[in-house]
Amino acid sequence: MCTIGAISHGDKTFVIKKFDYLPDTSLAWAHFRPFGSPFAHFALVNHFQQGVNSGINTAGLGLVIAESDPAFWEKKKRELRTVINAEILAKCKNVKQALKKLRSYARAHPEMIGGNVILGDGEYIAVMEYLKGKTRFEISESGFFARANQSVFGLRADFDNFELSNVDRYEKMESFLKRLFPLLPSLDRGEIIRRCKKILRTKPILNKFTLSSMILDIPKRRIEFKIGNGRWQTFQLK
């Protein structure tokens, strides 16, 4: 039941996520150092998913995901989404490269759990939806994107599915980003991050399944993250 978003204007680009999953999940944030791959990355990992869930690399590419597949619970043991996420963060330097790789992979693996991916780098933000081998995406130099566990582009017929408060979470995130966007030029990074932290810890985005929250400051290659109800922590990629 993840809720994700991105917002960008000028030199300020932020990608945010609230991660919900099974309550018996063990998870961590991990710093991956490359041996044969171009980019180190800092990413969310857990025992139920291969690869990585969401994160940012040293090229300044950030990635977050939210599933949108009615068959999620039947497919969750075959998590190809998180395998390609790891490949993208290890090898892609920007949004356009990541979109190309993800589109090709989704088409070649229609059995992959359907979902939404939001990406950000120093030039663009983008959102891609994929389901049963079909993909659609939107890319922009400035603006905002929001998703919960649904298809805005119409890859699945129902907007609200089995997840609790899916429409409410999406609308809450979209409304927040819409209000924040015109203020970006006048707000400093600290205030933007403070507001993002607040929305991520506000119901219905925050709920009983929330295991982690994150804010990726793309140009600074910095992550603010929280595990469970613990304190906010910061990791700086070099």
Side-chain angles (χ1 to χ4, degrees):
M1 300 196 313
C2 301
T3 312
I4 58 178
I7 190 166
S8 182
H9 186 283
D11 65 346
K12 296 171 182 173
T13 299
F14 296 88
V15 176
I16 66 177
K17 171 170 177 167
K18 182 266 314 192
F19 173 69
D20 298 338
Y21 211 70
L22 302 171
D24 58 343
T25 302
S26 295
L27 63 83
W29 282 88
H31 184 202
F32 292 85
R33 299 173 184 267
F35 294 90
S37 298
F39 305 115
H41 47 285
F42 189 68
L44 176 67
V45 295
N46 66 78
H47 285 177
F48 281 95
Q49 296 177 317
Q50 303 176 67
V52 305
N53 181 280
S54 301
I56 186 171
N57 68 18
T58 48
L61 173 67
L63 175 155
V64 293
I65 61 171
E67 63 84 15
S68 65
D69 197 324
F72 172 73
W73 297 109
E74 289 76 29
K75 294 181 179 179
K76 69 180 178 67
K77 292 183 179 180
R78 303 186 299 279
E79 272 279 31
L80 298 179
R81 299 179 303 158
T82 46
V83 173
I84 188 60
N85 290 352
E87 181 84 0
I88 287 170
L89 289 178
K91 297 182 178 180
C92 293
K93 66 180 180 180
N94 56 42
V95 165
K96 288 187 174 181
Q97 279 189 1
L99 287 172
K100 183 178 180 180
K101 183 178 284 288
L102 183 56
R103 192 177 192 185
S104 175
Y105 190 87
R107 288 176 170 177
H109 296 278
E111 74 278 16
M112 181 169 66
I113 292 172
N116 303 305
V117 179
I118 286 181
L119 300 153
D121 64 18
E123 295 185 75
Y124 299 100
I125 56 172
V127 58
M128 175 179 279
E129 298 181 6
Y130 51 79
L131 181 67
K132 298 180 179 178
K134 297 179 180 179
T135 65
R136 286 194 63 186
F137 72 89
E138 184 177 351
I139 185 169
S140 177
E141 293 181 356
S142 180
F144 59 89
F145 296 120
R147 289 295 188 275
N149 305 106
Q150 86 281 20
S151 172
V152 174
F153 293 150
L155 293 187
R156 57 179 296 181
D158 57 326
F159 181 81
D160 196 10
N161 54 12
F162 56 85
E163 282 87 3
L164 179 67
S165 302
N166 184 42
V167 172
D168 291 343
R169 287 184 290 113
Y170 167 70
E171 290 180 346
K172 187 81 170 179
M173 178 64 77
E174 185 180 51
S175 175
F176 165 72
L177 296 173
K178 186 176 182 179
R179 295 192 310 271
L180 181 61
F181 179 70
L183 302 176
L184 281 187
S186 62
L187 295 178
D188 63 33
R189 307 189 96 82
E191 179 59 19
I192 294 167
I193 290 170
R194 187 192 70 79
R195 295 186 185 201
C196 289
K197 286 179 178 179
K198 183 176 179 180
I199 194 66
L200 290 173
R201 308 302 293 180
T202 300
K203 295 180 180 180
I205 292 176
L206 178 71
N207 59 68
K208 65 180 181 180
F209 298 106
T210 300
L211 301 181
S212 188
S213 305
M214 66 199 76
I215 303 155
L216 316 183
D217 184 340
I218 299 298
K220 298 296 184 180
R221 292 160 175 74
R222 184 169 60 227
I223 298 182
E224 302 278 342
F225 68 97
K226 186 182 183 79
I227 297 176
N229 292 318
R231 63 181 178 84
W232 284 98
Q233 302 177 64
T234 303
F235 186 86
Q236 177 70 61
L237 278 171
K238 304 268 180 166

